[in-house]
Amino acid sequence: MVSKKVISDIISKYSLGNNIEKVKWVITDKELLINFNNDSKNLIGYVEYRNDLGLKSGDYGIFDTSKLIKCLNILDGDILVDATKSKLNMADTNYDIKFNLADPAVIKDPITIKEESLNNSDASFEMNDEFITRFVKSKDALSELETFTIETREGFTGEELVFTVGTNITNTIEFTVEATINESFGAIPFDSNLMKEILKANKDYHSGEIRINPKGIIDVHLHCGNDLYTGYYLVRKQENN
C-alpha cells in the first residue's frame, strides 16, 4: 500500500502542468528515479523518490501522463500499486485501474546536465515562501507575458538580485531577492511559464536552493519531504523579446 498523495506529488513534480507527458519510471533497489526534459529542451529535471512504491526493479514507460493523472484522481487514500510489462495497476476500495504502459524503448532518454559543470554560480539563495509568492503573484498579474529576467543591480545596501516579469518593451513587475552574489551579470531571460509551474509544483518543499549559473541556467534543487527530491535546470531563452 502507498498513499495516493505520494504518487500524485511525484507526477505533479515532473508533469509541471502537463508540460511533460512521456517519461520512464526507473525503479532500482526500491527507489524511483524519473529524468525528463520538455520538447523545447529548455527545461531538464529529475524527480527522485527514495522509498518503496511497491514496484519491481525495471523501467516503466509512461506515454500519456495527463491520462494517468485523470485515472489517479478518482482513487482515494492508500492504494495498491503493482505492474506488469504492459500495465500499471492501481486500486483502492472502490476502483481497480489498469493503465497501459508504453515500451520504454520508444521513449527517448532525456538529455541531462552534469552536476560538475554547474559547480560555479553567479548568485544563489535559499528557497523560501516569500519568493514563491512574489514570483507567482507577479506572473499571474502579467499572465500573458512569457519572459522574466534575472540580473544584479546596485541597490541602497549593496548589490541586489533582481527578478523582473516582463521585458523592456512590455509591462513589468520587479522584485529583489536576498542572495549571495559572487559575480555581477546583466539581464538573463527565462521562460516565466515554466518557472511558475516549477514553483507551484514544489510549494511543499522542506528545503532547497536556487542558483544562477554563469552559463545562463537556473538550477533549482529541493527536498520536498517524504523521501522526495527534485531538481530542475531552466535554460535561458535565446531571445529577449
Side-chain angles (χ1 to χ4, degrees):
M1 301 285 284
V2 63
S3 170
K4 168 194 167 179
K5 184 179 185 303
V6 168
I7 298 179
S8 295
D9 285 348
I10 290 169
I11 294 173
S12 70
K13 285 169 172 47
Y14 80 75
S15 67
L16 299 175
N18 299 328
N19 276 285
I20 312 294
E21 290 286 352
K22 304 175 181 65
V23 295
K24 282 188 280 193
W25 292 16
V26 180
I27 304 290
T28 307
D29 297 328
K30 296 185 177 180
E31 294 186 356
L32 169 66
L33 176 63
I34 303 168
N35 288 305
F36 59 88
N37 59 249
N38 65 347
D39 291 340
S40 301
K41 295 183 174 57
N42 62 335
L43 173 65
I44 303 165
Y46 69 84
V47 175
E48 184 177 358
Y49 182 62
R50 300 176 185 175
N51 208 329
D52 188 6
L53 278 181
L55 297 175
K56 295 179 181 178
S57 294
D59 294 357
Y60 300 88
I62 307 295
F63 204 77
D64 189 346
T65 292
S66 296
K67 186 68 70 178
L68 177 58
I69 291 171
K70 291 178 180 179
C71 290
L72 185 62
N73 282 344
I74 72 172
L75 300 175
D76 288 310
D78 291 339
I79 60 178
L80 289 170
V81 180
D82 63 46
T84 65
K85 286 186 177 181
S86 61
K87 300 284 185 179
L88 176 64
N89 305 313
M90 302 178 292
D92 64 6
T93 56
N94 296 310
Y95 299 98
D96 189 349
I97 297 171
K98 298 185 184 305
F99 183 82
N100 285 336
L101 293 173
D103 182 347
V106 305
I107 298 176
K108 293 181 179 180
D109 289 328
I111 58 177
T112 58
I113 292 180
K114 294 182 179 180
E115 279 287 333
E116 55 267 26
S117 69
L118 297 174
N119 284 339
N120 298 321
S121 64
D122 284 340
S124 63
F125 60 94
E126 296 294 317
M127 177 67 87
N128 58 73
D129 294 346
E130 183 179 32
F131 170 72
I132 294 176
T133 299
R134 285 184 173 184
F135 189 94
V136 173
K137 282 186 174 181
S138 299
K139 171 59 180 171
D140 286 345
L142 300 175
S143 58
E144 75 282 3
L145 302 181
E146 299 183 348
T147 298
F148 76 97
T149 61
I150 310 176
E151 64 188 302
T152 57
R153 190 184 302 164
E154 196 64 32
F156 291 113
T157 59
E159 201 164 26
E160 300 175 330
L161 187 65
V162 182
F163 281 73
T164 304
V165 175
T167 69
N168 58 8
I169 61 172
T170 69
N171 296 320
T172 60
I173 298 174
E174 69 177 40
F175 60 91
T176 61
V177 175
E178 287 191 20
T180 299
I181 298 174
N182 301 315
E183 192 73 35
S184 301
F185 57 91
I188 306 173
F190 296 96
D191 188 309
S192 59
N193 294 315
L194 291 175
M195 189 64 183
K196 176 185 172 182
E197 293 300 333
I198 291 170
L199 296 177
K200 285 175 58 181
N202 289 274
K203 288 191 295 185
D204 60 346
Y205 77 98
H206 285 199
S207 61
E209 185 181 30
I210 296 180
R211 294 178 289 181
I212 295 86
N213 186 271
K215 295 181 179 180
I217 299 172
I218 298 176
D219 173 4
V220 182
H221 276 74
L222 302 166
H223 174 210
C224 297
N226 297 321
D227 305 301
L228 188 55
Y229 298 81
T230 58
Y232 306 90
Y233 305 100
L234 187 57
V235 181
R236 68 175 295 156
K237 297 181 77 170
Q238 294 306 305
E239 294 183 2
N240 185 9
N241 295 322

